[in-house]
Amino acid sequence: MEMKNIRNFCIIAHIDHGKSTLADRLLELTSTLGAREMENQVLDDMDLEKEKGITIKSHAIQMSYSYKGESYRLNLIDTPGHVDFSYEVSRSIASCEGALLVVDASQGVQAQTISNLYMAIDHGLEIIPVMNKIDMDSAQPELVSDEICDLLGCDPDDIFRVSARTGEGVPPILDAIVEKIPAPGGDPSAPLQALIFDSVFNPFRGVIAYFKIKNGTVRKGQKVKFFATGKEYDVEEIGALKMKLIPESEVGCGDVGYMITGIKSAAEVKVGDTITSVETPCSEAIAGFEEVKPMVFAGMYPVQADKFEELRTVLEKFQLNDASFVYEPESSLALGSGFRCGFLGLLHLEIVQERLFREFDMDVITTVPNVQYKVYTTQGEVIDVHNPSGLPAPTLIDHIEEPFIRAQIISKSEYFGPIMKLCLDRRGTLVSQHYITADRVELNYDMPLSEIVFDFYDKLKTISRGYASFDYHITGYRSAKLVKLDILLNGDPADALSTLIHEDNAYSFGRRMCEKLKELIPRQQFDIPIQAAIGAKIIARETVKQVRKDVIAKCYGGDVSRKRKLLEKQKEGKKRMRQIGTVQVPQSAFMAVLKLD
């Protein structure tokens, strides 16, 4: 197909504003799927996505549409809406020329909508505003229309008012996609230059790479080279992305497709890499693709120690499907060999753990999440620390810097007070506030990333009854008074439960940790002291009482010395047992730390 008849677009929106439903209607109108194949949220093909009602993975699909007697090819790249999956959004935006901006008519413009919109504008995308859910009783179309006009500087008449659920007002959007979104640029006769925006692992066919061609054409049987690794491959199969993979003989300039080259090693394909031809290679890789920056780090360990190699293979395959996930090997005294993994946020961590179990049948133990700190030593070195066990001795530390974020919160003004209190409790400082409308306020805070990692988002949703929306980006590192809090079980430090924490919060956090662990650790034949310590100083303690047996039950009379002799004998046994006894920490204890109130 000619380039002038190709349109590449994505749908950007806040979580739960109806973009997957709108994608369903577009697929129906273009007859991409038959009535028998159609189902709700058809692009969300993971069970987990349907259960949680969120998009986790971006999906690409090709549609054909006739407009004024000409046939057009529309490539839709669906995007997630949650802040933890913004990396998927950046990849979709890098592959498109236009975007549908979907805003819920009952909720209005939210934080994630704004941040995704700015990302799209930075890439020079053509924006088509769409107001969804106009059929709902709680919809406020006039108010939301004003918000969108303020945000985009457009006319109220330019906004498409639709109900994706009923299909009302959707057909004109397809005409607008053809009219307003520009055709892809590029030179079909230039050397091949294609951006890999996603990849999946198929156990029978190896790695399948999804790409968008910027210049040139790719044909079946051609020899291609990957820019980042410099390795060469033969193209075994290429084609279009519909609900199934449709093989074709070539994919032209400006189009989106898939490629199978028989690569078996997951490490050879990097998302964001450039594909070029071996005979006439391009001179440089495609720029403007952002590198992934993990925000939260946690250790992942196999439940059975002998499954370490199996876990390594599983993580390699998983990384193909989720390029924002990074990992490196590490070992722990309590848990043996495992991996230090980087995630974009806590929801991402939860989803990864769930997907490893469902898709690869891999059960893992996850340690307490941490963020990355910069430790400046007295020798003038700078060390990146993801794990409290990697911290140098206190005498060698000059100072520690922690990552700070700029948080953007949009909420109804009635929740203004509780939200400010929550942010101040988390060491936040107010940067600015302004009213978007009479009853909606936008707050900007500078906060330490470590304070929002655990349960900030849940608390924010609770105090605002689900109305507040939240987005953030890293602004840099600042010096902080941090201490390493160790948890000692029976006198031995449990390194998987250690955390780096601000000095002011250490006592209350240590106290709550001890109380929580006391509930979760099963009773043994001996007393188990649970202590929270900073260095050599114990700041909190709880004791899991021993399971007692009444050894003097048989002494129903006689001299007291007989009873004392039995009790002394028991005491000796308990003492010996405590010296050689080990305390097993259940998996629920590691996860409970995240849910401390």
Side-chain angles (χ1 to χ4, degrees):
M1 182 169 278
E2 290 182 41
M3 273 173 63
K4 67 180 179 62
N5 288 15
I6 296 174
R7 300 288 183 271
N8 300 318
F9 71 101
C10 60
I11 304 178
I12 52 180
H14 189 78
I15 189 167
D16 206 24
H17 278 204
K19 62 191 166 310
S20 297
T21 314
L22 180 61
D24 290 352
R25 296 296 82 77
L26 296 177
L27 293 174
E28 271 177 9
L29 288 167
T30 54
S31 307
T32 304
L33 293 179
R36 296 175 73 176
E37 297 170 290
M38 203 62 209
E39 56 176 314
N40 284 342
Q41 284 124 0
V42 68
L43 289 182
D44 294 348
D45 54 5
M46 241 184 268
D47 291 342
L48 206 55
E49 291 180 313
K50 287 194 164 68
E51 278 170 32
K52 290 187 179 282
I54 57 175
T55 306
I56 293 167
K57 196 93 189 67
S58 63
H59 290 269
I61 191 162
Q62 191 183 93
M63 302 178 277
S64 300
Y65 182 61
S66 294
Y67 176 68
K68 292 186 178 172
E70 281 197 65
S71 179
Y72 287 86
R73 181 177 291 168
L74 311 180
N75 289 313
L76 161 64
I77 301 173
D78 187 27
T79 64
H82 194 280
V83 59
D84 278 12
F85 304 110
S86 54
Y87 181 66
E88 293 275 336
V89 182
S90 78
R91 298 185 352 212
S92 301
I93 286 173
S95 319
C96 294
E97 283 79 41
L100 300 182
L101 178 75
V102 179
V103 178
D104 186 330
S106 57
Q107 294 185 3
V109 173
Q110 306 265 292
Q112 196 59 31
T113 319
I114 296 175
S115 70
N116 287 347
L117 173 67
Y118 287 159
M119 206 190 295
I121 291 171
D122 287 346
H123 279 79
L125 268 60
E126 180 66 39
I127 309 290
I128 298 175
V130 177
M131 193 199 306
N132 190 18
K133 304 192 186 179
I134 56 166
D135 59 324
M136 285 181 70
D137 297 336
S138 56
Q140 301 170 305
E142 300 312 319
L143 201 67
V144 175
S145 171
D146 291 344
E147 284 182 28
I148 298 172
C149 292
D150 287 349
L151 189 63
L152 289 174
C154 61
D155 272 344
D157 302 339
D158 296 342
I159 300 168
F160 290 87
R161 299 184 175 206
V162 306
S163 164
R165 189 169 57 88
T166 62
E168 178 193 340
V170 177
I173 293 178
L174 286 164
D175 296 346
I177 290 167
V178 174
E179 287 171 11
K180 294 187 177 180
I181 292 176
D187 180 0
S189 56
L192 174 65
Q193 226 184 358
L195 171 77
I196 301 177
F197 65 83
D198 204 356
S199 57
V200 291
F201 187 82
N202 181 313
F204 306 107
R205 313 208 59 185
V207 179
I208 303 173
Y210 297 164
F211 61 87
K212 187 229 172 167
I213 299 183
K214 191 178 175 190
N215 290 310
T217 307
V218 65
R219 293 175 184 81
K220 187 178 174 181
Q222 189 177 349
K223 241 187 159 28
V224 293
K225 184 170 90 170
F226 285 23
F227 230 89
T229 58
K231 297 198 174 177
E232 299 177 3
Y233 308 97
D234 289 317
V235 179
E236 292 176 10
E237 183 180 309
I238 54 165
L241 295 159
K242 296 208 170 176
M243 269 325 271
K244 297 186 176 71
L245 304 178
I246 310 292
E248 290 178 356
S249 57
E250 68 171 45
V251 176
C253 185
D255 218 340
V256 173
Y258 74 91
M259 178 186 290
I260 299 175
T261 53
I263 301 171
K264 289 287 184 277
S265 164
E268 290 177 34
V269 180
K270 301 255 186 302
V271 170
D273 195 2
T274 302
I275 305 172
T276 187
S277 103
V278 172
E279 292 137 29
T280 52
C282 59
S283 54
E284 58 180 8
I286 297 171
F289 193 83
E290 53 180 85
E291 198 49 45
V292 57
K293 294 191 225 34
M295 305 291 179
V296 176
F297 294 87
M300 278 194 171
Y301 295 85
V303 177
Q304 284 109 7
D306 57 348
K307 294 233 174 140
F308 173 72
E309 283 304 323
E310 194 181 320
L311 179 61
R312 184 198 293 275
T313 317
V314 164
L315 292 182
E316 242 179 49
K317 290 178 184 171
F318 182 81
Q319 195 180 29
L320 258 187
N321 206 285
D322 185 349
S324 52
F325 169 75
V326 293
Y327 66 93
E328 57 184 40
E330 72 160 3
S331 62
S332 146
L333 291 171
L335 301 168
S337 296
F339 294 92
R340 190 95 202 132
C341 304
F343 308 90
L344 296 180
L346 269 196
L347 177 70
H348 189 204
L349 185 154
E350 197 182 307
I351 295 288
V352 168
Q353 205 175 344
E354 186 69 25
R355 281 182 67 188
L356 287 176
F357 181 65
R358 289 188 186 200
E359 294 171 28
F360 299 98
D361 200 21
M362 192 79 218
D363 213 355
V364 292
I365 292 173
T366 312
T367 64
V368 181
N370 291 293
V371 298
Q372 177 175 326
Y373 297 95
K374 287 191 183 301
V375 178
Y376 290 79
T377 64
T378 46
Q379 277 93 24
E381 293 176 309
V382 182
I383 306 168
D384 284 343
V385 174
H386 304 145
N387 191 346
S389 61
L391 209 62
T395 49
L396 300 174
I397 298 172
D398 181 46
H399 68 282
I400 303 174
E401 288 188 353
E402 62 176 341
F404 261 69
I405 57 157
R406 174 65 53 87
Q408 180 194 40
I409 299 166
I410 297 178
S411 169
K412 286 196 164 183
S413 45
E414 62 195 88
Y415 307 118
F416 186 70
I419 289 173
M420 284 190 81
K421 183 182 181 306
L422 174 69
C423 293
L424 288 170
D425 289 348
R426 300 300 176 98
R427 298 191 281 137
T429 47
L430 183 65
V431 178
S432 65
Q433 66 179 69
H434 80 270
Y435 281 83
I436 301 170
T437 62
D439 68 337
R440 292 184 71 219
V441 64
E442 179 189 327
L443 300 169
N444 286 297
Y445 271 89
D446 275 348
M447 297 169 79
L449 178 63
S450 57
E451 294 288 344
I452 68 155
V453 158
F454 288 127
D455 54 356
F456 179 81
Y457 192 61
D458 294 346
K459 287 246 166 66
L460 180 69
K461 283 289 183 195
T462 306
I463 61 177
S464 66
R465 297 187 190 168
Y467 275 109
S469 62
F470 171 68
D471 188 41
Y472 65 88
H473 60 269
I474 294 277
T475 52
Y477 282 78
R478 298 187 195 175
S479 188
K481 289 196 297 183
L482 298 168
V483 290
K484 181 185 173 191
L485 181 73
D486 286 314
I487 299 294
L488 309 177
L489 299 175
N490 200 13
D492 299 324
D495 60 348
L497 292 170
S498 301
T499 47
L500 269 175
I501 191 162
H502 196 267
E503 204 170 42
D504 299 348
N505 303 340
Y507 175 76
S508 61
F509 186 77
R511 166 103 271 144
R512 296 200 320 262
M513 279 276 280
C514 292
E515 285 166 3
K516 193 78 182 172
L517 287 170
K518 183 184 177 184
E519 293 168 23
L520 294 166
I521 290 176
R523 289 169 69 185
Q524 307 272 2
Q525 297 277 325
F526 54 95
D527 276 357
I528 305 171
I530 303 168
Q531 297 163 309
I534 297 172
K537 183 181 171 193
I538 305 293
I539 58 168
R541 171 180 170 137
E542 293 286 337
T543 306
V544 178
K545 283 300 192 191
Q546 62 194 21
V547 181
R548 302 183 77 94
K549 178 187 169 192
D550 193 354
V551 289
I552 55 173
K554 59 187 181 219
C555 304
Y556 44 85
D559 190 8
V560 72
S561 60
R562 279 185 63 205
K563 295 180 182 176
R564 182 145 309 131
K565 188 177 164 190
L566 279 171
L567 287 171
E568 287 297 328
K569 195 174 165 188
Q570 188 194 34
K571 193 171 165 186
E572 282 298 312
K574 295 276 184 199
K575 199 169 169 185
R576 196 164 60 250
M577 199 185 281
R578 193 178 146 187
Q579 282 168 352
I580 60 165
T582 55
V583 181
Q584 291 293 321
V585 184
Q587 164 69 358
S588 55
F590 295 113
M591 294 317 288
V593 179
L594 313 182
K595 309 219 165 31
L596 284 179
D597 294 324

